[in-house]
Amino acid sequence: MDSSARSGATGSSNPRAWIVAGVAVAGVLVLAEVARRRRRWLRGKSSPPPYSGAFCDRLELAPPPQPPPPAARQLLPDLTFAVSDNFEIEGYVAGFGNPDWKRTHKAASHTAAAVKTLLKQGATCVGRTVMDELGFGVTGENLHCGTPINPASPSVVPGGSCSGSAVAVSAQLVEFALGTDTTGDLRIPASFCGVLCFRPSQGVVSTLGTLPNSHSLDTIGWLARDPHILSRVGDALLPAAACGLKGKRQLVFADDCFELLKIPNQKTVDVIENAVRTLPYGFQPPKHINIGQYISSNVPSLKEFCEPSTKLQEGKSALKALCTVMLLLQRYEFKANHEDWVNTVKPKLGLEVSTRVLQAVNFTDDNIKSLYIVRTEWRAALKNLLKDTGILVLPTMAGHPLKRNSKQRLSSEFEDKMYAFVSIAALSGSCQATVPLGNHNDHPISISFVAAHGSDKFLLRAILDMYSAIQKQIVLASKLALPPVIDRDVDTSELLKEKGNNSFKRKQWSKAIEFYSGAIKLNDTNATYYCNRAAAYLELGRFKQAEADCDQALLLDKKISGML
């Protein structure tokens, strides 16, 4: 790290200070410290890296060998994956995030259908991951297993219910992970942990062999860091028949949802619009709508769930009513699935989950038909809005996650916004992709894309086509957020490095990595950028990434090689 990041470090007894100072000189000490810490960890003499806690069961399910020609090649050779604790695996008891569930159930006689499909396609399953109890939480905290540490922002919760799957992917412990998404259970942790997520259309991927929360809302989805892996998993799990592209795609922005955020449009809407403008073909000019007002006008059965409102407020009222219907449907179906077990076993549950479970088992059946009618109307209305080539764009989450071990609970305002966003796809049964958009105020942010039910491969292809352009716009948006430039000859990459140095000094390691990565994207021949990022990775315990950056720095700077 150069002198601007080293000030005050000389003479300090703090080991971090000499690590940073060493990076400033040549990066050699960072490499040595990475190796030393990793050796100590492997010998069991130091505490485990901060991303431990993602797994509740470590196991290995190996795939069959690659078939000889002329048989089709496996789609996922050499990839590793994990699954949430509600996936059955032959010979193991699925815990559903709760030891009382595990104690009162037998080992599975079959492996979940989705897991078997992935194994057949060459992937290796390496374990089951921690989840909120009974699939009913949203923070990722588990009273019994603990809370997996969020690699993207270690001071906050990872989000739930599939917290362990998101953490395993974000921490690069696996290439991808499976989970079930009912009311945002994959999309929420994907947003909080800064990874990609795909929630397929309801009923398209078999849920056979998974423990249900709400059978008509549950979907099997997956998380990945790489959009190509996200798409390849889709090729393996989704049926061959898919909605074909019949014209140019069009993005439809839900402006009223973005107005509920406290994040500037330059980091969300503008990033996506600018990215699409740079693509040479394949997209129409985007359009903007008030999705709440559209719902109010096109889902007539929703009116009985709406609160009294003025004309100006009817859109917000409709969004809130939509998520109310989703939650009522979840309670009704959870009660049908698990009421007897809850009343008989009386399981020990965390406070948040216990509240939700009690609401479910005490649910009365007065309006059940109305719930399913709303769902049918909303699916038809969304299909009519998007047709074959439309993609609805909306925020994934309403704000930042809670701090770890906080005694606070999610505010009702936060929950209302969060459930409003996730209910759009969940209640319609539509497919949704979640894409990270960098950080805001040191927390990951993301955006979501929704396509009509059955348009899964169409949506995955669109994400693949847009992803590289979106990443470039994220870097440019970060540049716009930089302080005014005094020296006009200073390169943008140097400005990003300075931002990284400032974040490093404030111990905002993840933020520093983001800025150093931006500098590397603009100038990948500067060894200092890799050394600086290696130091930040080291602070987070991400040894493999630190070693890789040090190796790259050695290749770029022969002086470093001469010092070894």
Side-chain angles (χ1 to χ4, degrees):
M1 197 163 297
D2 66 10
S3 58
S4 63
R6 298 202 304 271
S7 58
T10 306
S12 170
S13 61
N14 187 337
R16 287 177 181 164
W18 62 258
I19 292 171
V20 175
V23 173
V25 176
V28 176
L29 292 180
V30 172
L31 185 60
E33 180 66 3
V34 168
R36 184 182 69 83
R37 289 192 191 184
R38 197 171 190 195
R39 284 195 302 270
R40 288 184 62 204
W41 171 56
L42 291 172
R43 290 196 304 264
K45 294 182 179 179
S46 64
S47 58
Y51 306 126
S52 60
F55 288 92
C56 57
D57 287 318
R58 295 308 298 260
L59 51 90
E60 181 170 325
L61 302 179
Q66 188 79 254
R73 303 281 293 173
Q74 293 170 338
L75 296 172
L76 307 171
D78 303 321
L79 296 185
T80 59
F81 72 102
V83 299
S84 285
D85 194 25
N86 59 338
F87 282 74
E88 293 184 335
I89 294 175
E90 183 179 355
Y92 294 83
V93 182
F96 216 177
N98 181 266
D100 289 321
W101 180 279
K102 196 166 189 175
R103 175 178 57 82
T104 56
H105 288 80
K106 296 179 180 180
S109 57
H110 296 87
T111 296
V115 176
K116 289 201 293 188
T117 298
L118 295 171
L119 294 172
K120 185 178 179 181
Q121 291 298 338
T124 300
C125 180
V126 297
R128 272 198 300 230
T129 53
V130 173
M131 62 181 290
D132 288 77
E133 301 163 273
L134 312 181
F136 242 131
V138 296
T139 62
E141 298 168 299
N142 187 299
L143 174 67
H144 312 283
C145 303
T147 306
I149 295 177
N150 183 343
S153 188
S155 64
V156 302
V157 297
S161 66
C162 298
S163 54
S165 286
V167 167
V169 170
S170 183
Q172 302 188 32
L173 304 178
V174 290
E175 276 80 26
F176 68 95
L178 294 188
T180 53
D181 189 300
T182 306
T183 58
D185 307 72
L186 276 172
R187 291 165 286 168
I188 294 168
S191 180
F192 287 175
C193 293
V195 296
L196 291 152
C197 167
F198 190 76
R199 177 198 187 279
S201 299
Q202 206 279 327
V204 169
V205 177
S206 172
T207 56
L208 187 65
T210 58
L211 305 176
N213 177 286
S214 170
H215 47 271
S216 74
L217 296 174
D218 291 344
T219 57
I220 289 178
W222 52 97
L223 307 118
R225 298 180 306 278
D226 184 325
H228 293 89
I229 292 179
L230 194 79
S231 183
R232 286 167 62 191
V233 176
D235 288 338
L237 289 177
L238 295 169
C243 178
L245 182 60
K246 298 177 182 177
K248 287 190 174 182
R249 293 161 285 199
Q250 181 173 51
L251 300 185
V252 181
F253 288 85
D255 286 346
D256 50 327
C257 292
F258 285 103
E259 287 170 4
L260 297 173
L261 291 183
K262 295 180 180 178
I263 299 173
N265 272 6
Q266 73 178 53
K267 288 195 169 186
T268 55
V269 174
D270 294 353
V271 165
I272 305 303
E273 286 197 316
N274 292 337
V276 171
R277 288 192 189 102
T278 66
L279 297 175
Y281 58 85
F283 287 86
Q284 302 178 54
K287 71 176 185 179
H288 296 255
I289 67 165
N290 184 310
I291 192 67
Q293 290 182 355
Y294 180 83
I295 293 168
S296 178
S297 301
N298 291 277
V299 188
S301 296
L302 192 63
K303 287 183 170 54
E304 66 179 282
F305 299 95
C306 290
E307 298 173 353
S309 61
T310 65
K311 187 70 175 174
L312 292 175
Q313 296 173 328
E314 68 178 15
K316 288 183 179 179
S317 177
L319 278 172
K320 188 172 182 179
L322 198 71
C323 70
T324 296
V325 170
M326 176 188 73
L327 295 175
L328 291 176
L329 187 58
Q330 180 191 28
R331 290 172 191 170
Y332 167 69
E333 293 186 345
F334 181 88
K335 178 178 181 177
N337 288 322
H338 304 303
E339 180 185 18
D340 289 344
W341 179 82
V342 171
N343 289 335
T344 302
V345 176
K346 296 180 173 52
K348 184 178 180 182
L349 302 168
L351 179 60
E352 179 196 352
V353 173
S354 178
T355 300
R356 297 176 192 274
V357 168
L358 286 174
Q359 288 174 334
V361 296
N362 293 326
F363 180 74
T364 56
D365 306 351
D366 295 340
N367 268 340
I368 296 308
K369 286 186 178 179
S370 298
L371 300 178
Y372 289 101
I373 291 171
V374 169
R375 186 183 66 172
T376 300
E377 290 179 353
W378 172 224
R379 179 178 294 187
L382 190 59
K383 173 68 176 177
N384 189 51
L385 172 67
L386 300 177
K387 299 188 169 56
D388 289 332
T389 57
I391 300 173
L392 184 68
V393 187
L394 69 157
T396 307
M397 287 302 299
H400 299 317
L402 293 174
K403 295 285 186 182
R404 285 179 65 86
N405 304 317
S406 172
K407 293 183 179 178
Q408 272 186 301
R409 300 188 68 183
L410 294 173
S411 69
S412 57
E413 179 186 8
F414 183 95
E415 285 202 4
D416 285 347
K417 292 178 184 178
M418 174 184 70
Y419 282 130
F421 297 161
V422 301
S423 67
I424 288 173
L427 197 60
S428 67
S430 301
C431 50
Q432 177 171 331
T434 296
V435 177
L437 290 187
N439 284 9
H440 179 67
N441 292 339
D442 299 324
H443 295 299
I445 57 175
S446 68
I447 205 163
S448 281
F449 301 85
V450 176
H453 184 276
S455 300
D456 301 65
K457 289 192 174 180
F458 160 73
L459 180 57
L460 276 171
R461 182 69 224 181
I463 298 303
L464 204 55
D465 290 346
M466 291 189 289
Y467 187 79
S468 179
I470 290 173
Q471 298 311 300
K472 290 178 182 177
Q473 291 301 320
I474 292 170
V475 174
L476 293 176
S478 298
K479 174 185 171 183
L480 292 175
L482 294 170
V485 179
I486 297 173
D487 183 356
R488 296 190 182 190
D489 295 328
V490 175
D491 187 76
T492 303
S493 60
E494 283 293 301
L495 293 174
L496 289 170
K497 183 199 72 177
E498 292 300 326
K499 291 281 283 185
N501 292 351
N502 290 334
S503 296
F504 192 102
K505 287 190 286 186
R506 292 195 295 269
K507 300 183 179 181
Q508 297 171 345
W509 319 124
S510 296
K511 189 71 172 177
I513 288 169
E514 179 190 355
F515 284 119
Y516 294 143
S517 297
I520 289 168
K521 284 184 178 179
L522 295 175
N523 180 3
D524 60 4
T525 61
N526 190 315
T528 300
Y529 300 163
Y530 289 96
C531 288
N532 290 9
R533 190 169 70 175
Y537 277 137
L538 182 60
E539 294 293 344
L540 289 174
R542 297 173 72 171
F543 305 127
K544 288 184 179 179
Q545 294 92 324
E547 284 183 327
D549 275 356
C550 288
D551 288 343
Q552 186 63 29
L554 290 170
L555 290 172
L556 291 171
D557 193 334
K558 301 301 181 184
K559 295 178 183 177
I560 297 177
S561 300
M563 295 176 65
L564 292 178

